[in-house]
Amino acid sequence: MLNEILKKRFTTRFWDDSKEVPYELIQSVLQDVYDAPRKNGDTRVVVKVLTPSEEGEKMKDELLKLSWCRDGDKAAIDNEGPIRVQGQFTAPYVLLFGTTEESEYDQHNVANATLQTTLAMVSAEEKGLNTAYCQCIEPEDALASDVNFFVMSGLGIGYAQTPTEEPERYPIDRVTILENEVHYDTSNVIPGNKYFGEREKPQLSDMSIII
């Protein structure tokens, strides 16, 4: 069952806003996160849930402004390509994993944040939702912004727009990073097809070292 979920999953960057996400499903995901194991039982890493509320949407816009890149380089004003914003943060629900105050961005805390994010991803997919993981944000920047949270990782949750066989660039005009510049993200892509520049995945035998 788990393997089927993983094989069907794809990163969702464009969301079907016509389908409302039952909040009970989000609550169930949060319960799974709460029950998840933690390194050394450390409870400093918590989850901040951005809902479709007015305040939640404002914080999502702030995340878009903090996480954009250009020609693959983060916040590269002087590059010439179109501006890519992170469609993960336009999801109906965005779960942020981190701390309420500045903390060490170290192996210990990142391990806990990553573990909880991955558990939330699998939990949501199991419930028929779609997901998108994102770590393209500086924790200090998020804490200093209106998001007011030391973000180590994030997860968009909702229902996906229909994925395409080949990656396409779709415009996102929700925020403006630079005037008169194209803002985009890559379309949802059917599992088994590759995004722009994505590397070929080796065989299992080539990625497993058995002693």
Side-chain angles (χ1 to χ4, degrees), residues 178-195:
L178 289 175
E179 296 288 347
N180 303 316
E181 296 283 355
V182 174
H183 296 58
Y184 81 98
D185 201 358
T186 306
S187 61
N188 304 332
V189 177
I190 296 172
N193 296 274
K194 292 182 173 54
Y195 288 100

Side-chain angles (χ1 to χ4, degrees), residues 39-98:
K39 180 176 172 57
N40 294 342
D42 193 331
T43 59
R44 284 177 294 176
V45 172
V46 298
V47 57
K48 186 167 188 172
V49 182
L50 306 187
T51 71
S53 66
E54 181 178 352
E55 188 64 23
E57 294 300 317
K58 287 180 180 178
M59 290 189 182
K60 294 172 193 176
D61 288 348
E62 190 69 20
L63 291 169
L64 293 176
K65 295 174 184 177
L66 292 171
S67 60
W68 63 276
C69 63
R70 200 173 195 184
D71 298 330
D73 297 326
K74 190 171 179 181
I77 290 288
D78 295 331
N79 287 9
E80 298 182 354
I83 291 173
R84 181 176 182 178
V85 293
Q86 303 294 332
Q88 295 96 315
F89 291 138
T90 65
Y93 288 89
V94 174
L95 275 55
L96 302 176
F97 296 86

Side-chain angles (χ1 to χ4, degrees), residues 7-150:
K7 285 182 176 179
K8 291 179 181 178
R9 183 195 174 272
F10 55 88
T11 296
T12 300
R13 295 182 170 92
F14 288 88
W15 309 86
D16 186 351
D17 294 328
S18 69
K19 297 178 67 176
E20 184 176 352
V21 177
Y23 185 63
E24 309 84 72
L25 295 183
I26 301 300
Q27 289 178 307
S28 182
V29 171
L30 294 176
Q31 183 66 55
D32 288 340
V33 170
Y34 177 79
D35 292 332
R38 295 167 182 264
K39 180 176 172 57
N40 294 342
D42 193 331
T43 59
R44 284 177 294 176
V45 172
V46 298
V47 57
K48 186 167 188 172
V49 182
L50 306 187
T51 71
S53 66
E54 181 178 352
E55 188 64 23
E57 294 300 317
K58 287 180 180 178
M59 290 189 182
K60 294 172 193 176
D61 288 348
E62 190 69 20
L63 291 169
L64 293 176
K65 295 174 184 177
L66 292 171
S67 60
W68 63 276
C69 63
R70 200 173 195 184
D71 298 330
D73 297 326
K74 190 171 179 181
I77 290 288
D78 295 331
N79 287 9
E80 298 182 354
I83 291 173
R84 181 176 182 178
V85 293
Q86 303 294 332
Q88 295 96 315
F89 291 138
T90 65
Y93 288 89
V94 174
L95 275 55
L96 302 176
F97 296 86
T99 55
T100 56
E101 57 187 21
E102 187 168 353
S103 60
E104 292 294 326
Y105 190 65
D106 58 14
Q107 184 178 15
H108 182 96
N109 286 325
V110 171
N112 271 323
T114 303
L115 174 62
Q116 292 177 50
T117 309
T118 303
L119 198 290
M121 178 190 73
V122 174
S123 172
E125 295 278 343
E126 181 187 40
K127 296 168 177 53
L129 298 166
N130 299 104
T131 60
Y133 179 86
C134 188
Q135 204 173 21
C136 299
I137 193 165
E138 297 297 328
E140 295 86 356
D141 293 345
L143 182 63
S145 73
D146 290 340
V147 177
N148 192 30
F149 194 66
F150 195 78

